[in-house]
Amino acid sequence: MVQTVAASTNAALPLPLAEQRPLLMPRNGSVSAKREETANTWAHGFSQEASFRAAPTVGPDSHVKFLAIADMGQAEVDGSNEESEMIPALNTTRLMIAEADDKQLLIHNGDISYARGFSSQWDVYFDQVQPLVTKMPYMTTIGNHERNWPDSGDRFPAQYDSGGECGVPYERRLQMPRPAEDKPWYSFDFGPIHFLQYSTEHVFAKGSEQHAFVLNDLGSVNRSLTPWLVVGGHRPFYIDSTNNMEPDGDQPVARALREAFEEAFFKYQVDMTWHGHHHSYQRSCPMFKERCIPFNADGTAGGPVHLVIGHAGAGLCFNTLPQRPSFWDKVSVTHGYMRVEANGTDMHCEVIEDTDGSVMDAFTLHKPVGWRPRNVDRLEHWEKSMLGLAGTSGHNGSHTRNAALNNQSGAAEHSGAHHGWVHGVLHYIRRHRSNMLQQFLNPDPAA
């Protein structure tokens, strides 16, 4: 289905802040539809006519193509000096525009324009992405450079990253289907995918309003309609980074996110998480609790794959760890973006390097036709499998060693099932999970 839209594109006459709306929402104009032509038109001011594809039918039979980025920013095409400019963003944007005609969606997970209080740079940003976001829906999450300011209600009370914007320009210019003002978490279905977008800049700990929203959404996804489940936020869930400074360093926030959500993401069989903030590209193996998990017999991943896609334009982060954690399958400190193609059985991702358009990484997740989540307690199953993994660590890339260890642990459980010691160990693990697992999975090398 193709819809035709005439949208205001005059950057010199931006809408008043209070009147701004998402770029693809009809406003102050006429709307007409002819069902037999499957086309809508509307107009506002003196504007060119643009076209975009309507959202696909939700369900496993849909086939979708779209783009995903984080941390892009903007720069003047003539090289003019600005308070904040991300020159590589021009290349990333140019490459995405070149392939936009057959794409249906753009996901942008935080740090949008880096305007940081200079409203004219929001105008520069939208001039830059106009040929892209007038062709497809533009779905975003809030980042630290849109929201954080001391004592303004975000999770980081002493951070100045938004330049005083406090999320207001972001929410006026990019109105997502959030539950309320300054509660920028939401979800939506797109073809065979359910997207859950949350805020790492607001309180997300257990017991918070946002945490309850996330768990409720995860528990209500109809996987017969949307077999794929992708969670998006800004600050990374797992990260190869040396930044361990409290309270807003990469590692402390990642640990807090995992404390809040990792068990739920594993329980509800999230397929991938997409985050940014660290300006690099990173991809983990399918994993849980810092360990790679073998692929299942039906070809599905054993746990979520965690991506960092914060490499769209902002200055690159070279502070990766001297010894890379073994659960990372790919880390590249290079600018680029991700293209995704998905149907009910396969989700194929290609990560594009923006210097020459080459593919820097590619992978595919698979589900069999008619896949449904397994009706088992995945956490209990994982705890049992860990009984056979004591004293091992790491990931060999092919998952062969982990698969063999899983088989061994299954045999050990079976042989000891009539002696009661297995249940005693499981009870101990459950009681001491929060403190024990880190020591159990990451033994002190000096010990």
Side-chain angles (χ1 to χ4, degrees):
M1 179 187 295
V2 177
Q3 295 184 337
T4 302
V5 179
S8 178
T9 59
N10 189 343
L13 297 172
L15 297 175
L17 191 61
E19 294 183 17
Q20 290 171 10
R21 298 291 187 270
L23 284 172
L24 298 181
M25 180 180 290
R27 63 178 303 277
N28 294 343
S30 62
V31 178
S32 63
K34 295 183 178 180
R35 186 175 299 273
E36 65 274 17
E37 296 178 0
T38 64
N40 295 339
T41 61
W42 62 275
H44 175 70
F46 301 95
S47 56
Q48 292 181 329
E49 188 175 85
S51 63
F52 68 96
R53 293 187 178 275
T57 301
V58 174
D61 295 330
S62 284
H63 181 194
V64 296
K65 296 180 179 182
F66 59 96
L67 306 170
I69 57 173
D71 301 80
M72 188 160 76
Q74 45 70 40
E76 293 279 7
V77 294
D78 63 359
S80 301
N81 290 331
E82 292 185 328
E83 173 65 25
S84 175
E85 59 182 2
M86 313 298 179
I87 301 297
L90 297 176
N91 226 22
T92 303
T93 305
R94 177 183 61 82
L95 288 171
M96 290 194 294
I97 291 171
E99 62 172 283
D101 286 346
D102 70 340
K103 301 302 186 292
Q104 300 158 277
L105 172 69
L106 175 61
I107 299 286
H108 191 160
N109 285 344
D111 285 4
I112 310 298
S113 71
Y114 289 86
R116 292 181 283 200
F118 292 84
S119 60
S120 63
Q121 294 194 344
W122 279 105
D123 297 334
V124 172
Y125 176 77
F126 280 109
D127 278 349
Q128 176 180 304
V129 299
Q130 172 193 307
L132 189 63
V133 300
T134 53
K135 290 185 175 181
M136 64 190 73
Y138 183 32
M139 307 302 287
T140 66
T141 61
I142 199 167
N144 57 303
H145 287 297
E146 285 79 53
R147 182 59 186 85
N148 295 356
W149 191 254
D151 302 317
S152 65
D154 62 72
R155 186 180 181 273
F156 306 95
Q159 305 305 312
Y160 293 78
D161 298 346
S162 78
E165 290 189 351
C166 305
V168 175
Y170 166 83
E171 290 204 336
R172 293 298 182 270
R173 294 173 182 265
L174 293 163
Q175 291 194 8
M176 299 296 107
R178 65 193 191 281
E181 191 86 8
D182 201 30
K183 297 179 180 181
W185 44 86
Y186 65 97
S187 66
F188 67 101
D189 294 326
F190 197 82
I193 308 171
H194 181 82
F195 288 98
L196 169 58
Q197 303 283 78
Y198 72 112
S199 172
T200 60
E201 309 315 304
H202 293 74
V203 176
F204 52 73
K206 294 176 181 178
S208 66
E209 180 181 0
Q210 181 174 201
H211 188 271
F213 175 91
V214 169
L215 265 59
N216 181 69
D217 188 80
L218 291 172
S220 62
V221 180
N222 184 348
R223 302 300 285 271
S224 65
L225 282 177
T226 53
W228 299 104
L229 175 52
V230 176
V231 176
H234 182 58
R235 296 177 189 256
F237 204 80
Y238 276 97
I239 183 65
D240 181 359
S241 167
T242 60
N243 187 348
N244 201 31
M245 296 183 63
E246 297 284 357
D248 67 327
D250 297 333
Q251 299 295 355
V253 177
R255 288 192 291 269
L257 286 168
R258 297 197 297 272
E259 172 65 24
F261 296 122
E262 187 166 25
E263 291 191 357
F265 289 179
F266 187 69
K267 173 183 177 180
Y268 291 107
Q269 300 184 48
V270 169
D271 294 294
M272 282 192 279
T273 70
W274 298 350
H275 294 84
H277 190 64
H278 193 274
H279 303 160
S280 64
Y281 170 71
Q282 304 186 18
R283 172 172 61 87
S284 78
C285 58
M287 65 182 298
F288 181 56
K289 300 287 187 181
E290 301 185 58
R291 275 195 176 274
C292 295
I293 301 178
F295 284 82
N296 299 312
D298 62 1
T300 56
V305 174
H306 301 285
L307 301 185
V308 177
I309 54 172
H311 60 148
L316 294 170
C317 296
F318 293 95
N319 63 326
T320 55
L321 292 165
Q323 184 172 355
R324 182 163 297 152
S326 58
F327 50 75
W328 290 113
D329 280 348
K330 179 75 173 181
V331 174
S332 179
V333 186
T334 310
H335 286 111
Y337 64 97
M338 183 165 70
R339 68 165 70 112
V340 184
E341 186 170 359
N343 55 30
T345 60
D346 295 280
M347 182 178 289
H348 180 68
C349 302
E350 293 182 343
V351 182
I352 309 304
E353 185 172 339
D354 80 350
T355 55
D356 57 7
S358 62
V359 176
M360 74 168 78
D361 188 32
F363 64 97
T364 301
L365 297 181
H366 173 75
K367 296 179 186 290
V369 175
W371 176 88
R372 298 291 184 275
R374 291 184 297 167
N375 188 23
V376 297
D377 187 333
R378 298 189 85 205
L379 291 173
E380 182 175 353
H381 178 77
W382 179 82
E383 289 170 349
K384 289 180 179 179
S385 72
M386 289 308 299
L387 291 174
L389 294 178
T392 68
S393 63
H395 159 59
N396 65 1
S398 67
H399 305 284
T400 303
R401 181 178 60 188
N402 283 337
L405 288 170
N406 254 15
N407 292 335
Q408 293 170 12
S409 69
E413 289 172 30
H414 185 268
S415 65
H418 300 290
H419 299 285
W421 67 270
V422 171
H423 299 289
V425 173
L426 288 176
H427 179 69
Y428 182 86
I429 290 175
R430 289 193 188 98
R431 288 189 61 189
H432 301 276
R433 176 188 298 162
S434 60
N435 295 323
M436 173 188 174
L437 284 178
Q438 291 302 319
Q439 301 174 14
F440 184 56
L441 298 178
N442 301 286
D444 186 350

